[in-house]
Amino acid sequence: MSLENKVAIVTGAARGIGFAVAKRFVMDGAKVVIADVDDEAGEAAVEDLSGLGTVMYIHCNVAERLDVRNMVAETLNAYGDIDVLVNNAGIVVGAEFLDLEEDDFDKVLSINLKGAFLCSQAVARHMVEKVDNGGDPGCIINMSSINSVVAIPNQIPYCVSKGGMTQLTKTTALSLAKYGIRVNAIGPGSIMTEMLASVNSDPAAKNRIMSRTPMLRIGEPSEIAGVAAFLASEDAGYVTGQTIFADGGRMPLNYTVAVPEDD
Ligand code: NAP
């Protein structure tokens, strides 16, 4: 198993893509920490996965420095190490540009972007100390989005946060390269989670998404987890500072594709 004896933290893993990543990592042999703000869903996720391997839940609001510090301390206390961090926690707040509230702008940026920075810095400090003591370097994976490059006019802070994720990924990768610590991002297209559910239940909105998806289907969380498993593995040993887009072909597409009638 590619992650045998590794310790991984996945933020926002009580459900959705984060849960799928946590599940894949447990199946690949890692000891996994599910870090989230939804304690009930987090504990339920642990119950779901505990039959497959070693997994625990830690409450952590990634936007809060003390929560992050506590998450790192609790992980080290329980498992003695951290090899992989997946900065997956993220939220959306939709509003038209002229109506967007300052508080909502701050909230999205503090979770999606500052949260990834706080977790990366806290975990990287441990990883660097480990390398200095002759240990193996770890790696960091940021959950970005196609919206790091393209944009949606009523998702301003979300798109800004994911654009920032590209540069956070590059700057962190360059800063930590000399230690052998790799930092990469995943840019999912439209993936079947609760974040997408409301859009997907509206036929016109679904049609819009499909017309921009050459593979003509919504992606599964497990398909993002597969990319995370690759980036966390030694197969990606020379890959750093990159964003891998898993989007059914949306990023290369100019114009739209024809959507079959029954879609
Ligand atoms: P999701 O289903 O909404 O799950 C996100 C999880 O993160 C929830 O359990 C949520 O808890 C938790 N969370 C929210 N704020 C947090 C915080 N401050 N600290 C820790 N955990 C927090 O989302 P998803 O669709 O799986 O998306 C996961 C990541 O993939 C996000 O970064 C998102 O931007 C990215 N992504 C998703 C898609 C997609 O189509 N789904 C596409 C591109 C990128 P609550 O339920 O309590 O809020």
Side-chain angles (χ1 to χ4, degrees):
M1 290 198 285
S2 59
L3 295 178
E4 192 82 68
N5 296 323
K6 301 287 185 195
V7 176
I9 296 175
V10 187
T11 69
R15 61 185 167 92
I17 290 172
F19 176 77
V21 172
K23 182 175 181 183
R24 175 62 190 262
F25 281 9
V26 171
M27 286 163 56
D28 285 356
K31 293 180 195 133
V32 173
V33 167
I34 288 176
D36 207 288
V37 287
D38 187 335
D39 297 344
E40 206 178 314
E43 297 292 359
V46 167
E47 213 171 298
D48 262 16
L49 299 184
S50 54
L52 299 172
T54 308
V55 55
M56 68 185 279
Y57 173 71
I58 296 175
H59 176 95
C60 175
N61 178 351
V62 296
E64 294 292 336
R65 190 166 46 89
L66 292 181
D67 273 21
V68 170
R69 191 187 290 177
N70 181 50
M71 172 184 76
V72 169
E74 267 193 64
T75 304
L76 291 174
N77 198 29
Y79 296 149
D81 202 355
I82 304 169
D83 299 288
V84 183
L85 165 69
V86 182
N87 286 309
N88 169 78
I91 63 163
V92 289
V93 176
E96 296 303 328
F97 183 78
L98 298 180
D99 304 324
L100 179 63
E101 301 280 350
E102 181 181 351
D103 280 354
D104 287 334
F105 186 91
D106 285 348
K107 186 175 171 201
V108 175
L109 268 290
S110 74
I111 294 172
N112 295 15
L113 188 56
K114 190 184 83 173
F117 162 69
L118 290 176
C119 293
S120 295
Q121 189 184 54
V123 168
R125 283 177 175 153
H126 161 75
M127 288 175 171
V128 167
E129 195 181 313
K130 186 166 55 152
V131 171
D132 285 345
N133 290 319
D136 286 339
C139 72
I140 297 172
I141 299 166
N142 293 326
M143 202 54 72
S144 184
S145 167
I146 50 165
N147 292 304
S148 61
V149 177
V150 294
I152 303 173
N154 67 354
Q155 289 292 345
I156 294 120
Y158 183 78
C159 295
V160 171
S161 73
K162 296 301 184 183
M165 201 66 133
T166 304
Q167 290 298 68
L168 182 67
T169 302
K170 290 180 184 176
T171 51
T172 314
L174 298 180
S175 303
L176 300 177
K178 61 175 178 276
Y179 303 101
I181 300 165
R182 297 179 300 103
V183 184
N184 292 291
I186 304 172
S190 299
I191 307 300
M192 191 49 76
T193 68
E194 277 181 47
M195 193 179 261
L196 194 79
S198 57
V199 181
N200 199 49
S201 59
D202 170 0
K206 188 178 175 197
N207 195 280
R208 248 190 336 264
I209 291 176
M210 285 303 106
S211 75
R212 294 280 304 142
T213 310
M215 288 184 78
L216 291 173
R217 65 177 179 83
I218 303 288
E220 292 299 326
S222 61
E223 294 178 296
I224 302 305
V227 181
F230 162 67
L231 287 173
S233 76
E234 283 174 16
D235 285 343
Y238 202 48
V239 182
T240 198
Q242 300 297 318
T243 299
I244 296 182
F245 291 98
D247 63 358
R250 186 173 306 168
M251 290 293 284
L253 176 69
N254 193 354
Y255 304 125
T256 56
V257 289
V259 182
E261 291 257 316
D262 54 358
D263 264 8

